[in-house]
Structure formats: C-alpha cells, structure tokens
Amino acid sequence: MYTRRILHHGTDPTATPVEISTRAVAGCWFELHRQGGCGAGELVIRDRFPERNAIDVGDWISFEYETDDRWYLGRVEARRAGSPAGVQFQLEGMGIELNEVFPGGFAQDADGVPPHRYGQTDLFSNDPDYANETFDTASGPTDVVALLLTQFVTPATPIQYDPALIESPPSPATVASIKFRGEESVRSIVKELAMVAGSASWGVDAQGDFFFLQQKGGILATYREGLNVTSLEESRDREFLFNRILLTGGYVYD
C-alpha cells in the first residue's frame, strides 16, 4: 500500500521540503515523457484565500509514491486562487529550464557573448565572425550534449549532470561542425541532437538529473490493465510527422 507524499521545496528544489499532503488536497496529476522527462502537472489544495501566498510562482513541488520514492518534480508556473474553491497550481518539470538557456551570442555590444562552435574540424575559417568564436572539440551528438550541460546548463540552472545518463548511439552519428549564436535554446538543440542520435530519450527526471538515453531493445516492465493500471489512454500528434525533408549544404567560406 502506498503513502502519498506531496512536498513543497520553496524556490530551491534541493532545499529541505515541507510536506503539504497533510493539508486537504483536492486533486493532482502529472506527466512523464520519454522526450522531456517530467512534464506538465497540476495541484489543487484547499487552502483558504488569505493563505494563497504560502506557495508562490517559481516554487518547486514534488510528488512521492512513498518516502524517498519520488516520481515527479515540477516548478509552479501559474497560481490561481479562489474562495471557496482553493488554490490551483500549474506545474512544469525541470526540463522547462532548458528553454531559458541560450548558448553563444554575437560578440557585439548587444550581448558581449562570443559565438560558440563545436566540431571535429575547422572548415569555416573564413566565417565573418570566426575571429570572435570560441571552440570545443566534439565528434558526435553526445559530446555536444555533455558540453552544453557542463558549460551552459548546470551553471545557470539547478539541473544536474551525470555522465552515466548520457548514452552514445549504437550506430555512429557524427557532428562535423555546429555553431551557436544565442538564437536557439538548449531544449531545441537537444531535441535535434536526439534525432541525430537515433531518436534518443532525453529530459530531466524527478531527481533533477538530465538524461540522454538510447531506446531499450527489450521489455523493461509489464503492466496489466485492471490489475496494475486503473485507466489507459493513447494520444498522438503531428510533432514528429515529417512529410518533406529538405537537405541543403552549408556555406564553406573559401
């Protein structure tokens, strides 16, 4: 038998939490995604209207199946309070912070951050901003992911980097050269690198650890409807449906 635990961590997801599951909880749900990790969630508690500021936007909430068995960690993105309805919180997993990190820049007065390039070779010495760029050697998508995490993500967010959670694809996937000028978020970059790596699973888990893992070839677990699962649904969308793919060569300034 499980013991439901709902914890409030305040503005620091690693801080000692306060259990709020003892307060009347009107409802909660959360999503776990193969690509994205902890996703959206919602929590409704029966706090009185004057108590609505006890949990604020930007605070972190976690759900545990039982003590020390965490299933979800999310940041409060929106709060709506009413009387006598209670307080409703819209949550997003820690992967949302990948949308807020933008590697590189234009090395101009506007941002002062140089373009950053990863690659195996130096094919673009005649790039207009070549003299301003910084460079790191990388030969594949997992190299780029690891460097993005250590250089840009972990210094700016509470997301943690564990090398054991970064898996290389079984088939070689190379990255000859890729440059970032502060126009793309880490989330959009990782999404593309995951496709290059054979549709890798990626995201941030309930412990705050980033993962970039290969799809498993065997069955990991079996759940029976009516025994282990109370309800079952399927949803599909067009995000990964490609009717046309156009491949073009890049400029070689020579």
Side-chain angles (χ1 to χ4, degrees), residues 34 167 170 198-199 201 213-221:
R34 185 179 73 83
E167 293 181 347
S199 191
S201 302
L213 304 173
Q214 293 300 303
Q215 298 187 53
K216 307 305 179 186
I219 296 175
L220 299 180

Side-chain angles (χ1 to χ4, degrees), residues 168-236:
S168 299
S171 300
T174 60
V175 174
S177 180
I178 185 170
K179 184 185 287 190
F180 302 113
R181 298 181 174 90
E183 299 174 296
E184 302 170 273
S185 70
V186 170
R187 188 179 182 92
S188 65
I189 296 169
V190 168
K191 182 177 176 181
E192 296 298 323
L193 292 172
M195 293 180 60
V196 174
S199 191
S201 302
W202 60 272
V204 182
D205 64 19
Q207 309 306 320
D209 294 322
F210 180 87
F211 62 88
F212 192 87
L213 304 173
Q214 293 300 303
Q215 298 187 53
K216 307 305 179 186
I219 296 175
L220 299 180
T222 301
Y223 302 97
R224 292 179 57 187
E225 185 178 6
L227 179 62
N228 310 109
V229 179
T230 57
S231 64
L232 185 65
E233 297 180 0
E234 181 194 38
S235 63
R236 302 183 67 187

Side-chain angles (χ1 to χ4, degrees), residues 9-69:
H9 299 262
T11 57
D12 182 356
T14 64
T16 301
V18 175
E19 186 172 353
I20 61 175
S21 43
T22 54
R23 282 141 65 175
V25 175
C28 66
W29 58 264
F30 60 89
E31 297 176 342
L32 301 177
H33 301 290
R34 185 179 73 83
Q35 294 187 327
C38 292
E42 182 181 87
L43 172 66
V44 182
I45 59 178
R46 294 295 187 186
D47 279 3
R48 297 184 303 116
F49 191 80
E51 301 167 344
R52 65 192 183 280
N53 293 319
I55 302 175
D56 205 353
V57 172
D59 286 0
W60 294 89
I61 301 291
S62 65
F63 300 143
E64 292 185 348
Y65 184 79
E66 57 187 18
T67 303
D68 297 327
D69 184 12

